[in-house]
Amino acid sequence: MTTETTVTTETTVDVEDRGDRVVVTLDRPAHRNAINAVMIAELHDVCAAVERDPKPVVLVGRGEHFAGGADIAELRERERTEALAGINRNLFDRFARLPQPTIAAVSGYALGGGAELTYACDIRIATPTAVFGNPEPGLGILAAAGASYRLPTLVGMSVAKQVLLGGRSLDAEAALRAGLLLEIVDDHLDAAHRLVDRVVRQSALALRLTKTIVDAPGAHPWADDIAQAVLFETEDKRDRMIAFLERKKR
């Protein structure tokens, strides 16, 4: 008698390659899309694919929420070794380094690791239901997956400390006032696609070099000059400028 064992593979991320963009949907709606180890691994696979074939990324959560945080049941079992490995931080840092613009389309909760994943994106769009926050100290830990160095840059040190130390949550209006959001819309995914429509009409190489320059720390005029020199020698630059001048003549 032969006994067959069925192995169920959990899938936590839905990936749709639309040719000129990749749509990544966090897909654990029953758990408010909490970020667990499987999702971390699958998002690393997404990063690897986009690094090989660079294109803009739209990141969204399935259902009412973007991501309610990291999976607390997993975090409870993690110890010093896992903390030192920077499991979530390494992924979010990798996501932040993706070569083309990344857009987080946020509704509902973006808390803890979910908030930090949005901070790693280049641009955030949200619905009126969105709430950003980092309640980690209430669980005896800190927001160690990028909030300490990304959030102050995004919203300023004062607001960042209100969130990270004071337990403040930012609703959509507060996030917009603080500069965390581009806009508040009823259909966040549609707005994200409209933004990507504008992005893909631009030079992919110019965007890639611009993102690299903007994300580099400190002043770097020499790097700006080198990047510009590279772009000045491309056929794409010549074609785009010729087309612009031709349109201007009409």
Side-chain angles (χ1 to χ4, degrees):
M1 181 176 178
T2 303
T3 302
E4 293 186 359
T5 302
T6 301
V7 178
T8 301
T9 303
E10 180 187 8
T11 299
T12 66
V13 173
D14 179 71
V15 182
E16 180 186 2
D17 189 333
R18 297 194 177 186
D20 64 350
R21 71 199 68 183
V22 176
V23 181
V24 180
T25 304
L26 308 181
D27 198 5
R28 299 185 74 209
H31 304 277
R32 293 178 175 171
N33 299 319
I35 300 169
N36 64 1
V38 175
M39 186 181 288
I40 291 290
E42 292 185 339
L43 288 173
H44 271 297
D45 291 341
V46 170
C47 288
V50 175
E51 288 160 356
R52 290 192 300 270
D53 183 15
K55 57 190 68 176
V57 174
V58 174
L59 187 62
V60 67
R62 180 85 68 200
E64 296 180 7
H65 301 287
F66 179 81
D71 191 302
I72 302 303
E74 287 189 0
L75 285 183
R76 181 187 60 197
E77 302 304 319
R78 289 184 186 175
E79 298 180 346
R80 177 175 57 193
T81 301
E82 288 84 5
L84 290 173
I87 296 170
N88 290 18
R89 179 191 56 76
N90 280 316
L91 169 69
F92 298 168
D93 285 353
R94 186 178 187 181
F95 205 90
R97 292 194 302 269
L98 290 178
Q100 291 295 314
T102 55
I103 295 93
V106 182
S107 64
Y109 291 145
L111 303 176
E116 290 179 297
L117 182 52
T118 73
Y119 304 158
C121 291
D122 295 309
I123 300 171
R124 286 148 297 279
I125 293 170
T127 69
T129 67
V131 178
F132 300 84
N134 290 97
E136 286 90 342
L139 297 170
I141 59 176
L142 59 88
S148 65
Y149 48 91
R150 289 198 178 94
L151 192 57
T153 300
L154 293 169
V155 301
M157 187 63 75
S158 177
V159 174
K161 285 186 175 181
Q162 292 170 36
V163 173
L164 299 175
L165 303 180
R168 179 186 178 190
S169 294
L170 301 177
D171 62 18
E173 289 292 343
L176 182 66
R177 290 195 301 271
L180 187 63
L181 297 178
L182 169 65
E183 58 183 343
I184 301 171
V185 295
D186 291 327
D187 189 334
H188 55 315
L189 188 54
D190 180 68
H193 280 299
R194 284 189 277 109
L195 173 58
V196 177
D197 289 342
R198 297 196 299 271
V199 167
V200 296
R201 289 196 291 268
Q202 302 179 74
S203 161
L205 181 58
L207 288 173
R208 183 170 188 168
L209 291 177
T210 298
K211 179 171 177 176
T212 300
I213 291 293
V214 169
D215 286 343
H220 33 66
W222 56 272
D224 296 50
D225 292 345
I226 292 172
Q228 190 75 298
V230 170
L231 292 169
F232 270 20
E233 293 299 311
T234 63
E235 288 298 323
D236 187 45
K237 170 251 186 180
R238 294 188 184 90
D239 292 344
R240 286 172 179 273
M241 291 191 175
I242 289 171
F244 174 84
L245 293 171
E246 290 297 323
R247 289 194 301 271
K248 199 173 180 181
K249 289 178 182 177
R250 295 172 190 164

